[in-house]
Amino acid sequence: MLQEAAFTKVKAGTSNGSGADLLIEALKREKVEVIFGYPGGAVLPIYDKIYDCGITHVLPRHEQGGIHAAEGYARISGKAGVVIATSGPGATNIVTGLADAMMDSLPLVVFTGQVATGVIGTDAFQEADILGITTPITKHNCQIRSVEEIPRVIKEAFHIATTGRPGPVLIDFPKDIAALIGEAPTDPEISLPGYQPTLEPNYLQIRKLAEAVSTAKKPVILAGAGILFAKASDLLLEYAEQQQLPIVNTLLGLGSFPADHPLSLGMAGMHGCYTANMALYECDLLINIGARFDDRLTGNLKHFAPKATVAHIDIDPAEIGKNVPTAIPVVGDAREALSMLVKQDGKTPQHSEWMKQLESWKKEYPYWYENAESPLKPQRVMEMLYEKSNGDGIVVTDVGQHQMWAAQYYPFKKPNRWVTSGGLGTMGFGLPAAVGAQLADRSACVIAVLGDAGFQMSTQELAVIKEFNLPIKIAIFNNRSLGMVRQWQEIFYEERYSHSKISVQPNFVKLAEAYGIKAYEITTESEADSILNEVMEANEPVLLDFRVAESENVYPMIAPGKGSHEMVGVKK
Ligand SMILES: Cc1ncc(C[n+]2csc(CCOP(=O)(O)OP(=O)(O)O)c2C)c(N)n1
């Protein structure tokens, strides 16, 4: 029931206050520690309550930076990232981040301000139909219609964002409802009959899979980010060791299995390693756990895993059979599935020939490059970042060649040390995502690996890094070009470098210094060595402008339209 007079006779189990009060209360109930938000007219009633609410508020310098920071926070903390943006341009500025989070299954709860209910639909000042705009790129979205429903809608939003296959949820908040006084249940029941993710897999399907494993001669597990969301890395290790199953990782699944384990074959896909791609091509049983058979992983589907019986464990039934015909579908949570699999009896596979083959590929065809003192090789820089951070950093990347070198040359031994924009491939993601990652884990050594072009899409977030003294090591792989585009133009467009070389670039060292951040330009390996020794442990942000070779390409590579066995640039 709406009422104008506040704080009169509050019934047990109910709260009384403005819509904005109830929003803050609900966030506290969800134990939200940080809000990434940007104020404006439509969210002023909410910002008035944020002023002294006690929750850390981070003001990005662009709303897109705020939502990417929330994604980095969600990826590392395992909790939902919370974003607030005002109506109209504030809301439309977060659209890319929503699409990014949707593609990479990141849990976000996003609040947008909306014009007052009385003027919705009149093209009022700063009105945008954000529900219409974001319907295909959110897991769920809705508009608040009354004060009473606020606690329930917010509770549902956190539930939907973080359970099943995680994803972004958007709540549109009209300004008048944020200001209106009302009464609502403090901890309402939620009932979502249309949303009941299946967690426990069907036992018969698990039996079928266990039997397929016991008779396989060339089995392989493809481990995706679903393992990380399900916090199932320990069980993956136990199962892989029990059955002696080799593991291939997707880009987003890196870290779900220790890269230095003898059963690890490394990353597959367009720039994955020879062994992982060949294992997918030659295997007779492919067990996909929590990956979505993305085209950058599979290459041409006609040639993908042509000899394999495919099993696919996924919490999202829509993923199973979407791209690859699947003989053994298993719908459920990866942790539940693995805990059932480790308990199955049955012979372990007799596959010593296969294991020998994989071992010899690993030895013969590792990632490779030709080093030089100058110009500095980007692969060497990545190796040095690995060495100087003892392989224990959180690596956050932007999108492009540097992203692939980071995936290749920073072998993750633990889960949740890797933040990258995989599905959408969003330039401008890296720097703000590093902000969120560092806020999620204050003591970690966070390394932001960025291209010079992607860095320029979100440089304004240097201000946040300085403001919170986040000790992020910002490593720019500066090749004075849109490197990945340049590489494709070199290989597929007869070296016609159409708008991929950057002729005007700011001095990144001076730019960082303008924000009060220490910075170094680095041109040789020995310079890199001494500066990294000096700054890696620093308890303050540092920007490193690595002047890397301009025409270095990422290899191996599966060209578009080719199968995973048709890599070029493999070590001879
Ligand atoms: C927002 C956005 N625009 C365009 C692209 C297409 N794109 C992919 S990689 C790339 C070049 C990136 O250059 P840089 O940031 O310098 O990284 P590098 O490849 O040189 O390591 C471009 C333009 C994209 N992924 N995202």
Side-chain angles (χ1 to χ4, degrees), residues 200-269:
E200 198 178 320
N202 179 302
Y203 181 77
L204 294 178
Q205 293 303 100
I206 290 286
R207 263 315 311 154
K208 232 193 225 175
L209 175 49
E211 276 155 26
V213 168
S214 66
T215 55
K217 294 275 178 283
K218 296 180 176 182
V220 72
I221 289 179
L222 175 66
I227 306 269
L228 299 169
F229 293 125
K231 300 186 175 52
S233 295
D234 56 336
L235 286 177
L236 176 65
L237 180 63
E238 185 181 337
Y239 184 56
E241 287 182 343
Q242 182 198 70
Q243 299 293 323
Q244 285 300 296
L245 294 171
I247 308 281
V248 165
N249 271 127
T250 65
L251 174 72
L252 288 176
L254 291 175
S256 61
F257 192 78
D260 57 348
H261 193 284
L263 287 167
S264 171
L265 305 182
M267 178 180 77

Side-chain angles (χ1 to χ4, degrees), residues 45-124:
I46 297 174
Y47 266 80
D48 190 53
K49 303 300 173 183
I50 287 178
Y51 184 60
D52 49 7
C53 75
I55 302 175
T56 301
H57 179 276
V58 175
L59 180 82
R61 297 319 194 247
H62 187 294
E63 288 91 347
Q64 186 179 348
I67 192 163
H68 291 325
E71 292 182 85
Y73 177 86
R75 175 77 76 186
I76 296 303
S77 68
K79 299 183 199 156
V82 174
V83 178
I84 300 182
T86 194
S87 66
T92 54
N93 271 352
I94 59 166
V95 167
T96 302
L98 288 170
D100 194 89
M102 187 70 179
M103 286 284 257
D104 287 353
S105 308
L106 290 171
L108 299 182
V109 175
V110 176
F111 296 90
T112 46
Q114 184 53 278
V115 299
T117 44
V119 291
I120 288 178
T122 66
D123 295 336

Side-chain angles (χ1 to χ4, degrees), residues 181-198:
I181 305 295
E183 193 174 288
T186 308
D187 194 13
E189 289 285 304
I190 58 172
S191 161
L192 297 165
Y195 175 72
Q196 301 290 333
T198 303

Side-chain angles (χ1 to χ4, degrees), residues 290-502:
R292 60 186 175 83
F293 286 134
D294 165 67
D295 57 275
R296 283 293 197 264
L297 174 100
T298 60
N300 187 334
L301 282 169
K302 268 197 230 138
H303 305 297
F304 182 68
K307 308 166 194 182
T309 298
V310 175
H312 188 167
I313 301 172
D314 208 298
I315 198 153
D316 182 354
E319 284 301 339
I320 299 179
K322 184 181 84 178
N323 295 335
V324 174
T326 300
I328 310 175
V330 182
V331 179
D333 175 75
R335 188 166 183 88
E336 297 279 337
L338 282 161
S339 69
M340 285 163 84
L341 282 167
V342 291
K343 289 182 207 131
Q344 302 300 307
D345 341 297
K347 310 195 268 83
T348 52
Q350 303 299 299
H351 59 353
S352 52
E353 282 309 306
W354 176 233
M355 298 309 270
K356 263 191 233 150
Q357 171 71 87
L358 295 172
E359 209 38 55
S360 87
W361 282 338
K362 269 202 283 196
K363 278 209 191 85
E364 267 179 77
Y365 306 113
Y367 291 125
W368 70 285
Y369 66 95
E370 273 165 21
N371 199 18
E373 168 71 6
S374 175
L376 193 51
K377 288 297 174 97
Q379 300 93 330
R380 181 68 199 128
V381 175
M382 211 52 236
E383 286 176 336
M384 291 174 91
L385 289 170
Y386 177 83
E387 289 155 16
K388 306 291 180 186
S389 59
N390 301 318
D392 196 30
I394 290 179
V395 178
V396 186
T397 77
D398 211 80
V399 171
Q401 290 182 310
H402 62 280
Q403 177 189 30
M404 294 299 119
W405 286 315
Q408 293 179 338
Y409 291 96
Y410 203 105
F412 295 94
K413 288 174 271 189
K414 286 194 219 155
N416 306 323
R417 316 297 285 171
W418 172 236
V419 184
T420 199
S421 168
L424 199 65
T426 306
M427 280 173 74
F429 171 88
L431 190 67
V435 167
Q438 186 77 80
L439 285 165
D441 187 346
R442 288 287 196 148
S443 60
C445 170
V446 173
I447 308 168
V449 175
L450 313 173
D452 47 294
F455 171 60
Q456 289 183 70
M457 287 203 181
S458 49
T459 46
Q460 74 284 346
E461 304 309 333
L462 289 173
V464 179
I465 292 172
K466 178 65 186 172
E467 184 181 340
F468 286 82
N469 190 34
L470 302 175
I472 300 169
K473 309 300 170 283
I474 305 161
I476 301 177
F477 283 47
N478 187 351
N479 52 14
R480 274 89 50 212
S481 58
L482 311 179
M484 191 55 99
V485 172
R486 195 210 55 76
Q487 172 168 347
W488 280 54
Q489 289 172 337
E490 179 189 324
I491 303 174
F492 305 117
Y493 294 89
E494 298 166 347
E495 301 182 25
R496 288 162 57 81
Y497 297 118
S498 181
H499 303 280
S500 58
K501 303 238 175 163
I502 294 186

Side-chain angles (χ1 to χ4, degrees), residues 3 5-10 14-18 21-22 25 181-184:
Q3 56 188 53
F7 310 114
T8 49
K9 282 197 198 148
V10 180
T14 65
S15 296
N16 193 337
S18 70
D21 282 319
L22 298 184
E25 262 184 35
I181 305 295
E183 193 174 288

